[in-house]
Short mmCIF file of all heavy atoms in Angstrom, two decimals:
data_model
loop_
_atom_site.label_atom_id
_atom_site.label_comp_id
_atom_site.label_asym_id
_atom_site.label_seq_id
_atom_site.Cartn_x
_atom_site.Cartn_y
_atom_site.Cartn_z
N TYR A 1 -36.86 -38.93 -43.44
CA TYR A 1 -38.26 -38.54 -43.41
C TYR A 1 -38.46 -37.24 -44.19
O TYR A 1 -37.50 -36.56 -44.56
CB TYR A 1 -38.73 -38.35 -41.97
CG TYR A 1 -38.95 -39.64 -41.22
CD1 TYR A 1 -38.12 -40.03 -40.19
CD2 TYR A 1 -40.02 -40.48 -41.54
CE1 TYR A 1 -38.32 -41.20 -39.49
CE2 TYR A 1 -40.24 -41.65 -40.85
CZ TYR A 1 -39.38 -42.02 -39.84
OH TYR A 1 -39.61 -43.18 -39.15
N SER A 2 -39.71 -36.90 -44.40
CA SER A 2 -40.01 -35.70 -45.14
C SER A 2 -39.50 -34.44 -44.45
O SER A 2 -39.22 -33.44 -45.12
CB SER A 2 -41.53 -35.59 -45.39
OG SER A 2 -42.23 -35.56 -44.17
N ASP A 3 -39.36 -34.47 -43.13
CA ASP A 3 -38.87 -33.32 -42.39
C ASP A 3 -37.34 -33.26 -42.34
O ASP A 3 -36.77 -32.37 -41.74
CB ASP A 3 -39.44 -33.29 -40.97
CG ASP A 3 -38.96 -34.40 -40.09
OD1 ASP A 3 -38.19 -35.28 -40.56
OD2 ASP A 3 -39.36 -34.44 -38.91
N GLY A 4 -36.67 -34.24 -42.97
CA GLY A 4 -35.24 -34.24 -43.03
C GLY A 4 -34.55 -35.09 -41.99
O GLY A 4 -33.35 -35.26 -42.02
N THR A 5 -35.31 -35.65 -41.07
CA THR A 5 -34.73 -36.54 -40.05
C THR A 5 -34.15 -37.78 -40.69
O THR A 5 -34.81 -38.41 -41.53
CB THR A 5 -35.79 -36.95 -39.02
OG1 THR A 5 -36.36 -35.77 -38.43
CG2 THR A 5 -35.19 -37.80 -37.93
N THR A 6 -32.95 -38.13 -40.32
CA THR A 6 -32.27 -39.27 -40.93
C THR A 6 -31.99 -40.37 -39.94
O THR A 6 -31.82 -40.14 -38.74
CB THR A 6 -30.93 -38.84 -41.57
OG1 THR A 6 -30.09 -38.25 -40.56
CG2 THR A 6 -31.17 -37.81 -42.67
N HIS A 7 -31.91 -41.60 -40.47
CA HIS A 7 -31.58 -42.78 -39.67
C HIS A 7 -30.74 -43.70 -40.52
O HIS A 7 -30.87 -43.75 -41.74
CB HIS A 7 -32.86 -43.48 -39.20
CG HIS A 7 -33.70 -42.66 -38.29
ND1 HIS A 7 -33.48 -42.63 -36.91
CD2 HIS A 7 -34.74 -41.86 -38.53
CE1 HIS A 7 -34.35 -41.82 -36.35
NE2 HIS A 7 -35.14 -41.33 -37.31
N TYR A 8 -29.89 -44.44 -39.84
CA TYR A 8 -28.93 -45.28 -40.54
C TYR A 8 -28.84 -46.67 -39.91
O TYR A 8 -28.99 -46.84 -38.69
CB TYR A 8 -27.53 -44.69 -40.52
CG TYR A 8 -27.48 -43.33 -41.18
CD1 TYR A 8 -27.70 -42.16 -40.44
CD2 TYR A 8 -27.22 -43.21 -42.53
CE1 TYR A 8 -27.65 -40.93 -41.05
CE2 TYR A 8 -27.16 -41.98 -43.15
CZ TYR A 8 -27.38 -40.82 -42.39
OH TYR A 8 -27.33 -39.59 -43.01
N ALA A 9 -28.55 -47.65 -40.74
CA ALA A 9 -28.22 -48.97 -40.20
C ALA A 9 -26.87 -48.87 -39.53
O ALA A 9 -26.00 -48.09 -39.91
CB ALA A 9 -28.13 -49.98 -41.37
N ASP A 10 -26.69 -49.66 -38.49
CA ASP A 10 -25.45 -49.61 -37.73
C ASP A 10 -24.24 -49.88 -38.61
O ASP A 10 -23.15 -49.33 -38.36
CB ASP A 10 -25.48 -50.65 -36.59
CG ASP A 10 -26.41 -50.23 -35.47
OD1 ASP A 10 -26.76 -49.05 -35.37
OD2 ASP A 10 -26.79 -51.11 -34.68
N SER A 11 -24.39 -50.67 -39.61
CA SER A 11 -23.26 -51.06 -40.47
C SER A 11 -22.70 -49.90 -41.29
O SER A 11 -21.58 -49.97 -41.75
CB SER A 11 -23.69 -52.18 -41.43
OG SER A 11 -24.79 -51.80 -42.21
N VAL A 12 -23.51 -48.85 -41.46
CA VAL A 12 -23.04 -47.73 -42.29
C VAL A 12 -22.99 -46.42 -41.52
O VAL A 12 -22.52 -45.41 -42.05
CB VAL A 12 -23.93 -47.53 -43.53
CG1 VAL A 12 -24.05 -48.83 -44.31
CG2 VAL A 12 -25.32 -47.03 -43.16
N LYS A 13 -23.42 -46.42 -40.29
CA LYS A 13 -23.46 -45.20 -39.49
C LYS A 13 -22.06 -44.60 -39.35
O LYS A 13 -21.10 -45.30 -39.04
CB LYS A 13 -24.02 -45.53 -38.11
CG LYS A 13 -24.48 -44.32 -37.31
CD LYS A 13 -25.24 -44.76 -36.06
CE LYS A 13 -26.50 -45.53 -36.41
NZ LYS A 13 -27.25 -45.96 -35.19
N GLY A 14 -21.99 -43.32 -39.61
CA GLY A 14 -20.72 -42.63 -39.54
C GLY A 14 -19.98 -42.60 -40.86
O GLY A 14 -18.99 -41.85 -41.00
N ARG A 15 -20.41 -43.41 -41.80
CA ARG A 15 -19.74 -43.48 -43.09
C ARG A 15 -20.63 -42.99 -44.22
O ARG A 15 -20.13 -42.39 -45.19
CB ARG A 15 -19.30 -44.89 -43.39
CG ARG A 15 -18.30 -45.47 -42.40
CD ARG A 15 -17.76 -46.82 -42.87
NE ARG A 15 -18.82 -47.81 -42.97
CZ ARG A 15 -19.13 -48.45 -44.10
NH1 ARG A 15 -18.46 -48.22 -45.23
NH2 ARG A 15 -20.09 -49.36 -44.11
N PHE A 16 -21.92 -43.24 -44.11
CA PHE A 16 -22.86 -42.86 -45.15
C PHE A 16 -23.73 -41.69 -44.69
O PHE A 16 -24.03 -41.55 -43.51
CB PHE A 16 -23.79 -44.03 -45.50
CG PHE A 16 -23.16 -45.18 -46.21
CD1 PHE A 16 -21.78 -45.30 -46.34
CD2 PHE A 16 -23.96 -46.19 -46.73
CE1 PHE A 16 -21.20 -46.38 -46.98
CE2 PHE A 16 -23.39 -47.27 -47.40
CZ PHE A 16 -22.01 -47.37 -47.51
N THR A 17 -24.14 -40.89 -45.65
CA THR A 17 -25.04 -39.78 -45.37
C THR A 17 -26.15 -39.75 -46.41
O THR A 17 -25.89 -39.68 -47.61
CB THR A 17 -24.31 -38.44 -45.40
OG1 THR A 17 -23.23 -38.43 -44.44
CG2 THR A 17 -25.26 -37.29 -45.03
N ILE A 18 -27.37 -39.82 -45.92
CA ILE A 18 -28.52 -39.71 -46.80
C ILE A 18 -29.01 -38.28 -46.81
O ILE A 18 -29.01 -37.62 -45.77
CB ILE A 18 -29.63 -40.71 -46.40
CG1 ILE A 18 -30.73 -40.72 -47.45
CG2 ILE A 18 -30.17 -40.39 -45.03
CD1 ILE A 18 -31.78 -41.84 -47.24
N SER A 19 -29.41 -37.80 -47.94
CA SER A 19 -29.95 -36.45 -48.05
C SER A 19 -30.94 -36.38 -49.19
O SER A 19 -31.07 -37.32 -49.97
CB SER A 19 -28.81 -35.43 -48.25
OG SER A 19 -28.11 -35.67 -49.47
N ARG A 20 -31.63 -35.27 -49.24
CA ARG A 20 -32.61 -35.13 -50.31
C ARG A 20 -32.64 -33.68 -50.76
O ARG A 20 -32.40 -32.74 -50.00
CB ARG A 20 -34.01 -35.57 -49.82
CG ARG A 20 -34.58 -34.72 -48.68
CD ARG A 20 -35.78 -35.42 -48.02
NE ARG A 20 -36.85 -35.67 -48.95
CZ ARG A 20 -37.80 -36.58 -48.79
NH1 ARG A 20 -37.79 -37.36 -47.70
NH2 ARG A 20 -38.76 -36.71 -49.69
N ASP A 21 -32.98 -33.49 -52.03
CA ASP A 21 -33.18 -32.20 -52.61
C ASP A 21 -34.59 -32.21 -53.17
O ASP A 21 -34.81 -32.71 -54.28
CB ASP A 21 -32.15 -31.89 -53.67
CG ASP A 21 -32.23 -30.47 -54.20
OD1 ASP A 21 -33.30 -29.85 -54.08
OD2 ASP A 21 -31.23 -29.98 -54.75
N ASN A 22 -35.51 -31.67 -52.40
CA ASN A 22 -36.90 -31.74 -52.83
C ASN A 22 -37.20 -30.92 -54.08
O ASN A 22 -38.09 -31.26 -54.85
CB ASN A 22 -37.80 -31.26 -51.69
CG ASN A 22 -37.87 -32.25 -50.54
OD1 ASN A 22 -37.64 -33.46 -50.72
ND2 ASN A 22 -38.17 -31.75 -49.36
N ALA A 23 -36.42 -29.86 -54.29
CA ALA A 23 -36.62 -29.06 -55.49
C ALA A 23 -36.26 -29.84 -56.75
O ALA A 23 -36.78 -29.56 -57.83
CB ALA A 23 -35.76 -27.78 -55.41
N LYS A 24 -35.39 -30.81 -56.59
CA LYS A 24 -34.98 -31.64 -57.72
C LYS A 24 -35.58 -33.04 -57.72
O LYS A 24 -35.29 -33.85 -58.59
CB LYS A 24 -33.45 -31.75 -57.74
CG LYS A 24 -32.72 -30.44 -57.98
CD LYS A 24 -31.22 -30.66 -58.01
CE LYS A 24 -30.49 -29.37 -58.28
NZ LYS A 24 -29.02 -29.55 -58.31
N ASN A 25 -36.41 -33.30 -56.72
CA ASN A 25 -36.99 -34.65 -56.57
C ASN A 25 -35.90 -35.73 -56.59
O ASN A 25 -36.04 -36.74 -57.25
CB ASN A 25 -38.03 -34.93 -57.67
CG ASN A 25 -39.34 -34.21 -57.43
OD1 ASN A 25 -40.23 -34.28 -58.27
ND2 ASN A 25 -39.49 -33.53 -56.33
N THR A 26 -34.85 -35.46 -55.84
CA THR A 26 -33.70 -36.36 -55.89
C THR A 26 -33.26 -36.75 -54.48
O THR A 26 -33.19 -35.92 -53.59
CB THR A 26 -32.53 -35.71 -56.64
OG1 THR A 26 -32.95 -35.38 -57.97
CG2 THR A 26 -31.35 -36.63 -56.73
N LEU A 27 -32.96 -38.01 -54.35
CA LEU A 27 -32.43 -38.58 -53.12
C LEU A 27 -30.97 -38.92 -53.34
O LEU A 27 -30.60 -39.39 -54.42
CB LEU A 27 -33.22 -39.84 -52.75
CG LEU A 27 -32.85 -40.58 -51.48
CD1 LEU A 27 -33.31 -39.78 -50.27
CD2 LEU A 27 -33.47 -41.97 -51.48
N TYR A 28 -30.15 -38.71 -52.31
CA TYR A 28 -28.75 -38.98 -52.43
C TYR A 28 -28.25 -39.92 -51.31
O TYR A 28 -28.84 -39.97 -50.23
CB TYR A 28 -27.93 -37.69 -52.33
CG TYR A 28 -28.29 -36.66 -53.36
CD1 TYR A 28 -29.14 -35.60 -53.06
CD2 TYR A 28 -27.74 -36.71 -54.63
CE1 TYR A 28 -29.45 -34.64 -53.99
CE2 TYR A 28 -28.05 -35.75 -55.59
CZ TYR A 28 -28.90 -34.72 -55.27
OH TYR A 28 -29.20 -33.77 -56.21
N LEU A 29 -27.18 -40.60 -51.61
CA LEU A 29 -26.50 -41.36 -50.58
C LEU A 29 -25.00 -41.15 -50.79
O LEU A 29 -24.42 -41.65 -51.75
CB LEU A 29 -26.83 -42.86 -50.65
CG LEU A 29 -26.21 -43.70 -49.55
CD1 LEU A 29 -26.84 -43.34 -48.20
CD2 LEU A 29 -26.40 -45.19 -49.83
N GLN A 30 -24.41 -40.38 -49.91
CA GLN A 30 -22.97 -40.18 -49.93
C GLN A 30 -22.34 -41.31 -49.13
O GLN A 30 -22.63 -41.50 -47.97
CB GLN A 30 -22.59 -38.84 -49.30
CG GLN A 30 -21.09 -38.56 -49.24
CD GLN A 30 -20.46 -38.43 -50.60
OE1 GLN A 30 -20.99 -37.73 -51.46
NE2 GLN A 30 -19.36 -39.11 -50.81
N MET A 31 -21.47 -42.05 -49.79
CA MET A 31 -20.84 -43.19 -49.17
C MET A 31 -19.34 -42.95 -49.08
O MET A 31 -18.66 -42.82 -50.11
CB MET A 31 -21.12 -44.47 -49.96
CG MET A 31 -22.60 -44.74 -50.18
SD MET A 31 -22.90 -46.31 -51.03
CE MET A 31 -22.15 -45.96 -52.61
N ASN A 32 -18.83 -42.88 -47.85
CA ASN A 32 -17.41 -42.70 -47.61
C ASN A 32 -16.83 -43.92 -46.93
O ASN A 32 -17.55 -44.72 -46.36
CB ASN A 32 -17.17 -41.46 -46.78
CG ASN A 32 -17.65 -40.17 -47.42
OD1 ASN A 32 -17.60 -40.04 -48.64
ND2 ASN A 32 -18.15 -39.24 -46.60
N SER A 33 -15.53 -44.02 -46.92
CA SER A 33 -14.84 -45.11 -46.27
C SER A 33 -15.42 -46.46 -46.65
O SER A 33 -15.69 -47.29 -45.78
CB SER A 33 -14.86 -44.92 -44.75
OG SER A 33 -14.25 -43.69 -44.39
N LEU A 34 -15.61 -46.65 -47.91
CA LEU A 34 -16.26 -47.86 -48.38
C LEU A 34 -15.46 -49.11 -48.09
O LEU A 34 -14.22 -49.11 -48.15
CB LEU A 34 -16.54 -47.76 -49.87
CG LEU A 34 -17.74 -46.87 -50.22
CD1 LEU A 34 -17.71 -46.44 -51.66
CD2 LEU A 34 -19.05 -47.60 -49.91
N LYS A 35 -16.19 -50.18 -47.76
CA LYS A 35 -15.59 -51.45 -47.42
C LYS A 35 -16.08 -52.50 -48.43
O LYS A 35 -17.15 -52.34 -49.03
CB LYS A 35 -16.03 -51.88 -46.03
CG LYS A 35 -15.70 -50.88 -44.94
CD LYS A 35 -16.29 -51.32 -43.61
CE LYS A 35 -15.98 -50.33 -42.52
NZ LYS A 35 -16.58 -50.76 -41.23
N PRO A 36 -15.34 -53.57 -48.60
CA PRO A 36 -15.77 -54.62 -49.51
C PRO A 36 -17.18 -55.13 -49.18
O PRO A 36 -17.93 -55.50 -50.09
CB PRO A 36 -14.73 -55.72 -49.32
CG PRO A 36 -13.48 -54.97 -48.98
CD PRO A 36 -13.97 -53.83 -48.09
N GLU A 37 -17.52 -55.17 -47.91
CA GLU A 37 -18.84 -55.64 -47.51
C GLU A 37 -19.97 -54.70 -47.91
O GLU A 37 -21.16 -55.04 -47.73
CB GLU A 37 -18.90 -55.96 -46.00
CG GLU A 37 -18.43 -54.82 -45.11
CD GLU A 37 -17.00 -55.00 -44.68
OE1 GLU A 37 -16.13 -55.35 -45.51
OE2 GLU A 37 -16.72 -54.79 -43.48
N ASP A 38 -19.63 -53.52 -48.40
CA ASP A 38 -20.64 -52.61 -48.91
C ASP A 38 -21.05 -52.96 -50.33
O ASP A 38 -21.98 -52.36 -50.87
CB ASP A 38 -20.13 -51.18 -48.88
CG ASP A 38 -19.91 -50.65 -47.48
OD1 ASP A 38 -20.76 -50.90 -46.59
OD2 ASP A 38 -18.90 -49.95 -47.26
N THR A 39 -20.34 -53.89 -50.93
CA THR A 39 -20.66 -54.31 -52.29
C THR A 39 -22.09 -54.84 -52.35
O THR A 39 -22.43 -55.78 -51.63
CB THR A 39 -19.70 -55.38 -52.76
OG1 THR A 39 -18.36 -54.81 -52.83
CG2 THR A 39 -20.07 -55.89 -54.14
N ALA A 40 -22.89 -54.25 -53.19
CA ALA A 40 -24.28 -54.64 -53.29
C ALA A 40 -24.96 -53.84 -54.41
O ALA A 40 -24.40 -52.89 -54.94
CB ALA A 40 -25.01 -54.38 -51.99
N LEU A 41 -26.15 -54.27 -54.73
CA LEU A 41 -27.01 -53.50 -55.59
C LEU A 41 -27.82 -52.57 -54.69
O LEU A 41 -28.52 -53.03 -53.79
CB LEU A 41 -27.94 -54.42 -56.39
CG LEU A 41 -28.83 -53.77 -57.45
CD1 LEU A 41 -27.95 -53.20 -58.55
CD2 LEU A 41 -29.78 -54.80 -58.03
N TYR A 42 -27.67 -51.30 -54.90
CA TYR A 42 -28.31 -50.30 -54.06
C TYR A 42 -29.59 -49.79 -54.69
O TYR A 42 -29.62 -49.40 -55.85
CB TYR A 42 -27.36 -49.12 -53.81
CG TYR A 42 -26.30 -49.44 -52.77
CD1 TYR A 42 -25.26 -50.30 -53.08
CD2 TYR A 42 -26.36 -48.89 -51.50
CE1 TYR A 42 -24.28 -50.61 -52.16
CE2 TYR A 42 -25.39 -49.20 -50.55
CZ TYR A 42 -24.35 -50.05 -50.90
OH TYR A 42 -23.40 -50.35 -49.95
#
């Protein structure tokens, strides 16, 4: 959300981190401990 509150799908919880840098108008997704089932177009 705009206030920084984050939510995750159960399938990625604990492994992925979403963040934003409003000064750069950029959204990020840090993905750790990747699994084959994470294969997708993001």
Side-chain angles (χ1 to χ4, degrees):
Y1 285 110
S2 59
D3 67 358
T5 303
T6 59
H7 296 274
Y8 300 90
D10 288 342
S11 59
V12 306
K13 196 171 298 180
R15 299 187 298 120
F16 290 11
T17 302
I18 188 171
S19 62
R20 64 195 300 159
D21 186 337
N22 289 335
K24 296 181 178 180
N25 284 175
T26 301
L27 181 73
Y28 302 98
L29 184 67
Q30 178 66 47
M31 305 185 295
N32 299 326
S33 301
L34 284 162
K35 304 174 180 179
E37 53 262 45
D38 294 318
T39 295
L41 186 65
Y42 283 72

